[in-house]
Each structure stands twice: as structure tokens, then as C-alpha cells.
Amino acid sequence: MARDERIAELEEKARRIRAHVVRIAGMSDCHTGGSLSIADMLAGLYFHTLRVDPGLPGWEGRDYFILSKGHCVPALDAALAMRGFFPEDALTTHLQLDSIISGHACARVTPGIDVSTGSLGHGLSIGVGLALGVRMDGAANRVFVMIGDGELQEGSNWEAAMAGAHHKLEGLVAIVDRNMYQTGPTEEMMALEPLADKWRAFGWATRVIDGHDMAQIVETLDALPFEKGRPSAIVSRTEKGHGVSMSIHQHMNRFDEAQTATMLAELGQGGGEGGRN
Amino acid sequence: MAKWFGDVLVELARQDPRICGVSCDCWGFLGALAAAFPERAVEIGIAEQNLIGVAAGLAARGKTPFAIGMNPFVTMRCFEQIRTDVGYGCRNVKVVGGYGGGIGYAGWGCTHHAMEEMALMRLVPTMTVVMPADAYETEMATRAAATTEGPFYISLSGATMAFMPPEARRTFHVGKAVTLREGSDVTIVAVGPTLPDAMTAAEILTRKGVSARVLNMHTVKPADREAILAAARQTRLIVTIEEHTVIGGLGGAVGEVLAEAGAGTPLKRLGLQDVFACMVGRYEDVRERFGISANAVVEAVMRQA
């Protein structure tokens, strides 16, 4: 497949992830903003980069993905369903009794999720442990950890960043979803800049990209690991709520029926392919 | 105890390739493992949250990590990582408190007192909590942790090289209290560093005509319900003694069993009575002032008699 076609296909996957997030917000409260900002990266990861087997979620050779910003699980669940870990219909049961679709990433209930998250600042340490375990096995599985930018205010991340570089975990990748918002503007609440310099200072090979540009995402993921003997960090500059006008800079949304239809129409996913109206 | 534990760990690691060690500036416990299997011993530095997160990650890869830190810090600083990444995550992580259990640091300051370690670890669903008395129990507890699936907390720092009498060896089972001394009037329940106090008190009480049973409750969770209720039926008073707050640790565990069974036998909990043991002085001085001693046990018994 030509490269342009491949990019277009991944962009369509991202739109579909966003449409699922909108539909979930049409049924129940949903952490829309941070789910929508990671949609493009998740499309790149699950449909281009990650070595996973939906038929065998526990496959020993799989790449690990940890969503440290666990409240943005609606987007991850959408990607997992689309990748075939469970039927896309299941997404309509968000928060319902005994559903496999939880409010925060839960490995106990959702196929394809390796690590339960929700409390911020836990994912990267677990990623360091997984990467060390992979090295003990002499294996080549890679470990991807997606972290929110506001989440980096938790000091535990920097303990893990220190350890990842100290132990030269080349197969470890931290992806920072730099959407600039937590409950308010991150740089006003507790500034993180110069963020890429912080990662470099901690010993990580670091790249800053436009996290909504699929060509850049693919090129960056294809370039991993960025340097021999170092973990890689991607500062993915995004917009909280990207692609859905009512979710821009919003932490949570609950859409009524008309709003849901309007937002799906914005995505070009109104009643067509994959749509559920 | 560091070397003893380290040697046991290496032996277990030879038998089971999943076993590995993670240290939080406690490399003395892992030196032997590092010499035998360099890849399987990892230093994390002074960073308890990362220690436990890394251990949870290793377990997620199918390893059996022993994560070692100082008792007060490895239970408090990273409690959420233990509760969420190990407990909720169903990870086969063995948390080991290597230094500074109970009020072992005495007059060096309350920052270094692990007066909540048992209470905190008991709170984590599926966590087993063991406090060995000596090298023998340390070895047995470590073996049990290595071969039992699920989270374990082992508090090593109260253990001496030899405490358990030879006849009490061969009898270690997780969840089973050891009767160190038979008695029919009162029962003294102790754990780790308070066992010598319990034995001394029992001797003094015998001279006063009181027959005291002594239980070594090395496993605080799950508590040995059978042994506690037998003591409640067969003796008139139960005294617990621990280097710990009386809330939620050994005294708490024994009290829960007694109350739920409707046993009605009086319980006296010796330990820190909802206070910090804040004073400068020797270990013995601090224990005596805060009522953690053989004398305190004897007084508690004679007041009830």
C-alpha cells in the first residue's frame, strides 16, 4: 500500500476512535478531552506499530501498552475493539452493570488491557519493570507508556524516568500527550516547560512532534528506538478535545442526542460506516 | 539478617528462574543474588514509589520480584503503589521490610518508626503479612512467599539470628500461630521483636502463680482464628503486645476475631496507644515508657487478676 493511502487509512481509524468517544459521551459522562487528544497516536500505535494478537491478548511476544492517563480509557477501548480484542458493540455498555467497559483502564475486566490505571503517576514505573523483565528474558518486546502532561506533576514519574535511563532501557517508550490542559491550563497551574529538555536531562532520547499529524506519528514510531542504549520519549503536542468542537479544552462531557449527532457529523461519522446514530 | 535472607533468596532463585530482586538502597540484601545472577538484581535507588511500580511491572512480565526497602518507608511512602499496582493489579510481588521495623530506631526519631506497617499491609486485599522471629522463620517465610502466588509482606527487621526453640522449628506454616509456652490462665500474643517480652513476662507470671500461654503470631494476616479462639475458651485474658500502634495491627487482628466470634474474653492491647513514641533515649527506654515490655505485660495481667 502506498504511504499516502496508509496514512489516510490511519487517519480514518483515528476519526472512528473519536466517533466512539463521542457516542460514549452520548450515553454517560466521559473524559472526552484527553481521550480525543490521544486518538491519532492510538491509531498509529494499534494499527501500525504495536505487535499484538487480539486472539491471544496474553501472547508472550506482544508489545506492552500502558495508558498511564487511565481516565482516557474510552479512546483505548475504542482502539482495542476496532483492533478486534472485543466487539465494537461492547463500547455501548460503558459503565453499565458488569460491562467490560470501565471508567478507568481495568485489566481485570477489559481484554487487551495489560495494566490497570487511573491514579496518575503509576504507569511509567510499571513500564520500567516490564522492560527490565523483558531484558531478563533476553526478549525484544517493547513497552509503550502514554502519560498525560498534567500527570507529570506527580513526582513518581521522575523517579521512573531516572531509572529508565539509568538501566538503559532501549525498548521503553514514553509518550507524553502534551494537550496543555488538566482541569485548567497546565502552564498556569504548574508549568512543565521546558518539557522536552527535562526528558533529555533525565537521559531520554527525545523528540517533539505534532500529535495530530499522522505522517509525523508514523515516521516517529518507525524511528524507535531513537538512540542506542537510551529509552525514547515522544512529546506529542496535541489539543485537548481535538476534532470535536464541544470538547475543546473540556475534561468531561455528557452529550444529549442532538449534540451527539452534531459532533458525529463534524467527524463525518454521522450515520455512515461504523455509525450507530 | 540481610545476608541470611540474601542467601536464601539465591537458593530459591536457582530453583525458580522467575525470582528476582529489586532494592531501594538496600543492596546488602541482594548482593548474593547480584553475584549469582547479575541481571536479576536491580537497584532502584531511594525511590519507594518506583521500587513498587517496577516490581509490579516485573510481575506483569511473569517474574516473582522481592522488593526490599526500609520498613517505615516501603510501607508508607508507596502505600498506593502497593494497594493499586500490586493489590488491585493482582501482582505476585513480595514486599520486604529490611530495616527499621516497629520502633527499632527508638530514640532516632519517629520518622523511622514503622508503627503502622502491619495495619497498612493488612488493608491490602489478598496481602499476606508475616513478621518472622528469627533466621529460621525468615527462611521459612521467604520460601513460602516464593512458592505462594499473590502479594506478601515480610517484615524482617525484628528477627534475631536464633529465637525459636529447636522443637518449635519444623512447624512453620503461614497462618498458623506457634505455641511457645502452654498456659491455662492467660494468653500473651506477640510477634517479632516482642516475643522475648512475652516469654519473660510468662516466667515472671509463673512465679506469681499465673499460668501464661505464649503465642507467636508470626502471620498477622491471615490471623490464626483457631488459635485465638482456643485461647479465648481456655484462658481468662488475652494480652497482645506489639511494637506498633494498637490500631489495626496484631491487637487489632486478634480483637476482630474475638469480637466477631462473640468470645467475650477480655483483651488488653499493649503497644503505642494512638501516640508517637517521641523521645530521645535507648531502645529499652522508649519501649518501657510506652508500655511495650515484659513489665507492662505483667502489670496488665495482675490488674485484671
Side-chain angles (χ1 to χ4, degrees), chain B residues 129-133 137 164 171-178 190-192 216-221:
Chain B
V129 182
V130 181
M131 192 175 277
E137 288 195 348
M164 294 298 283
T171 57
F172 184 94
H173 297 287
V174 169
K176 286 310 264 181
V178 182
V191 64
N216 170 6
M217 190 75 74
H218 52 63
T219 306
V220 181
K221 181 187 173 190

Side-chain angles (χ1 to χ4, degrees), chain B residues 207-269:
Chain B
R207 292 201 290 276
K208 292 179 183 287
V210 178
S211 165
R213 176 180 306 183
V214 175
L215 294 183
N216 170 6
M217 190 75 74
H218 52 63
T219 306
V220 181
K221 181 187 173 190
D224 187 346
R225 203 167 170 276
E226 212 173 295
I228 295 167
L229 293 182
R233 280 194 308 274
Q234 293 158 7
T235 64
R236 297 191 303 272
L237 170 70
I238 298 177
V239 180
T240 57
I241 177 166
E242 59 197 310
E243 282 190 15
H244 193 274
T245 169
V246 293
I247 300 168
L250 175 68
V254 171
E256 287 162 19
V257 171
L258 290 174
E260 274 197 330
T265 310
L267 168 68
K268 177 68 189 169
R269 295 170 303 158

Side-chain angles (χ1 to χ4, degrees), chain A residues 114 119 122 125 137 167, chain B residues 43 50 61 63 80 85 91:
Chain A
D114 270 317
S119 174
H122 288 236
S125 290
D137 291 339
H167 290 293
Chain B
E43 177 60 61
N50 195 40
R61 179 63 192 172
K63 306 294 174 198
E80 201 202 15
D85 301 334
R91 301 304 180 195

